[in-house]
Amino acid sequence: MSTTIELGPESSSVAKGKAPLIGAVPVAKGKVGWKKGIAIVDFLLRLGAIGSALAATATMGTSDEILPFFTQFFQFEASYDDLPTFQFFVIAMAIVSGYLVLSLPFSIVGIVRPNVVGPRLLLLILDTVALALANSSAAAAAAIVYLAHNGNSNTNWLAICQQFGDFCQQASGAVVGSFIAVVIFMVLIVLSAFALRRH
Amino acid sequence: MSTTIELGPESSSVAKGKAPLIGAVPVAKGKVGWKKGIAIVDFLLRLGAIGSALAATATMGTSDEILPFFTQFFQFEASYDDLPTFQFFVIAMAIVSGYLVLSLPFSIVGIVRPNVVGPRLLLLILDTVALALANSSAAAAAAIVYLAHNGNSNTNWLAICQQFGDFCQQASGAVVGSFIAVVIFMVLIVLSAFALRRH
């Protein structure tokens, strides 16, 4: 963080000095500060999204409950890999977490050089893809968690949360965490669009 | 396409004539034509999204199968409103279809005046929300359709598609249609961001 702050004024003056040479439109100081503010909010939101995505992945990935009674041949156990949707959830949210960590340097570039368009466009495109991935896994897991809680009498799918209460609670928590990440992604996309628009 | 080409020079000259009055930066001819092209693609993609979203809504909404045998007290019937997730799907996709129809005028404004930022930003924000809604309903319905096809032995949820084959096929088709709408929304968001960026 200290290197970033030291680099800040120096590099922005360099950018301003070079701007007329590369044909960019000269910008008012207030606009640059406003874009830098958006970039800082973008960075902080990304940190929040990393937290919630990692928490969702870890919560779902460690969800595992063994019931305290068993028969001679069978032990009653529920784990996330009993349900393909939860497996998909863990894989997708792990990918999203990894992407978020890798996106941090690009977000820092946006803070140091608020007027560079390339990284911001790249982030917006990848954010859209990550939003779709996180949203798909979150919604699919939510549908299964709802079924596990309530069951469905029309199709004879019984609720399993009476037996596996802790497992269900962990899965529900993971779904909530992933939806928080989804909302943060939506805000990130809108923020990027605001920062990209013409002055 | 021919009308577009005829309209091109006229309206872009109008936009250039008015640009200094509202304080916009004068733009080269190629840039305006390029933005107009993006706006036209945006409009066509919206038409495609309306088609797939409406088809998904109608397919799921009319999915209803009555088995040709019955007992004295019970008739075997499967309908989309037996499953809350499918009800959510129909409602959400109907909302998305309605939004898409209402967004067409704003998309046309983008074709006529390629340099106006307001409607495009509004569309981008609402597109992001619509993407999340369509994606949630599509993924949740996909999770349930997968379960209906394959069942899950760990939780004793049996596959119902052996009995209700036509119902399952309709639901699967609706899910495919909604995912097509989701992909179109992702392209629309990225296109809007490209059109918004500074020249």
Side-chain angles (χ1 to χ4, degrees), chain B residues 26-44:
Chain B
V27 214
K29 254 185 197 172
K31 284 286 179 188
V32 172
W34 182 73
K35 295 213 169 187
K36 198 184 273 282
I38 285 187
I40 291 167
V41 172
D42 180 285
F43 184 77
L44 295 177

Side-chain angles (χ1 to χ4, degrees), chain A residues 35 115 157-158 198-199, chain B residues 35 82 115 157-158 198-199:
Chain A
K35 294 210 170 190
N115 277 320
W157 294 337
L158 297 176
R198 300 188 299 278
H199 8 268
Chain B
K35 295 213 169 187
D82 289 336
N115 279 320
W157 294 337
L158 298 175
R198 299 189 301 278
H199 7 270

Side-chain angles (χ1 to χ4, degrees), chain B residues 107-188:
Chain B
S107 181
I108 292 172
V109 168
I111 297 177
V112 180
R113 309 234 167 153
N115 279 320
V116 176
V117 172
R120 203 174 288 280
L121 256 184
L122 181 72
L123 277 187
L124 192 139
I125 295 170
L126 294 178
D127 278 353
T128 310
V129 176
L131 166 66
L133 189 60
N135 201 353
S136 298
S137 63
I144 299 297
V145 164
Y146 178 85
L147 205 60
H149 271 288
N150 295 74
N152 188 299
S153 57
N154 298 302
T155 51
N156 269 327
W157 294 337
L158 298 175
I160 58 164
C161 285
Q162 272 89 24
Q163 289 87 51
F164 297 101
D166 289 353
F167 172 71
C168 277
Q169 283 213 322
Q170 278 200 293
S172 311
V175 168
V176 171
S178 63
F179 271 116
I180 292 174
V182 166
V183 170
I184 294 179
F185 270 121
M186 289 170 68
V187 176
L188 281 177

Side-chain angles (χ1 to χ4, degrees), chain A residues 26-74:
Chain A
V27 213
K29 256 184 195 173
K31 284 285 178 185
V32 172
W34 181 73
K35 294 210 170 190
K36 201 186 271 283
I38 284 188
I40 291 168
V41 172
D42 178 286
F43 183 76
L44 295 177
L45 280 177
R46 260 169 225 284
L47 290 182
I50 288 175
S52 52
L54 275 182
T57 315
T59 310
M60 185 65 93
T62 57
S63 67
D64 194 3
E65 189 178 6
I66 301 174
L67 292 192
F69 52 85
F70 47 86
T71 65
Q72 194 173 0
F73 304 108
F74 196 73

Side-chain angles (χ1 to χ4, degrees), chain A residues 8 61-62 65 75 94 109 125 128 136 144 150 153 155 170 180-181 187 195:
Chain A
T62 57
E65 189 178 6
Q75 196 177 28
V109 168
I125 294 170
T128 310
S136 298
I144 299 296
N150 295 74
S153 56
T155 52
Q170 279 200 290
I180 292 173
V187 176

